[in-house]
Amino acid sequence: MSEAFVYLWYDAPNKKYYLGKHKGSPDDTYTHSSTIWEHFTKDNIPEGVTRRILAYGTDEEMCVLEHELLVNRKKRCWNRYYNNSLGDPRYVDTSGENNPNYKHGKYVGGEENKKIRLAYKNEQHKTPEY
């Protein structure tokens, strides 16, 4: 028995997809983790929404496969997907173009994020006032 799988949901009424990976069984209660697509359970799958299992394997294998498939789709047809990231970063390279903050040849929000991190770090090292 495999520990994980890659799946593809198709939302026919909206002509959109959601591709994901799950560590568990296709028969458990998990549906998806999208933050932009409506939440639903296995007991109330919306009309016209179907799921295909694309592959089974170890959690690491499925993380890598999910990432590769999402990178491919981002290059070709990202606007047809509910996904907003390129998968689980535990087993994939998230540097450069693979980073979700990397857009049009540069990191978006990088300077702003750096300022926030520095401000937080400086705040942590202040001498307490008594």
Side-chain angles (χ1 to χ4, degrees), residues 21-101:
K21 183 264 328 169
H22 176 61
K23 184 176 179 180
S25 164
D27 298 322
D28 64 21
T29 60
Y30 181 81
T31 55
H32 68 82
S33 62
S34 175
T35 57
I36 57 176
W37 190 25
E38 70 179 282
H39 174 75
F40 57 86
T41 67
K42 288 287 227 22
D43 295 332
N44 70 348
I45 297 171
E47 190 170 329
V49 173
T50 56
R51 182 183 72 173
R52 284 183 30 213
I53 306 300
L54 303 180
Y56 295 92
T58 67
D59 191 40
E60 182 175 352
E61 290 169 337
M62 296 302 97
C63 283
V64 171
L65 178 60
E66 174 196 33
H67 175 72
E68 290 171 354
L69 293 172
L70 288 169
V71 167
N72 173 275
R73 279 143 176 88
K74 185 161 186 160
K75 291 177 183 175
R76 299 183 314 113
C77 52
W78 198 240
N79 63 327
R80 294 179 54 204
Y81 280 76
Y82 288 114
N83 296 76
N84 58 8
S85 74
L86 297 176
D88 187 337
R90 286 181 291 176
Y91 301 109
V92 298
D93 174 15
T94 58
S95 62
E97 292 181 6
N98 292 334
N99 190 298
N101 293 324

Side-chain angles (χ1 to χ4, degrees), residues 3-20:
E3 67 176 329
F5 61 95
V6 171
Y7 60 87
L8 180 69
W9 283 102
Y10 179 59
D11 177 5
N14 294 304
K15 298 183 175 88
K16 290 191 89 162
Y17 297 89
Y18 182 79
L19 189 141

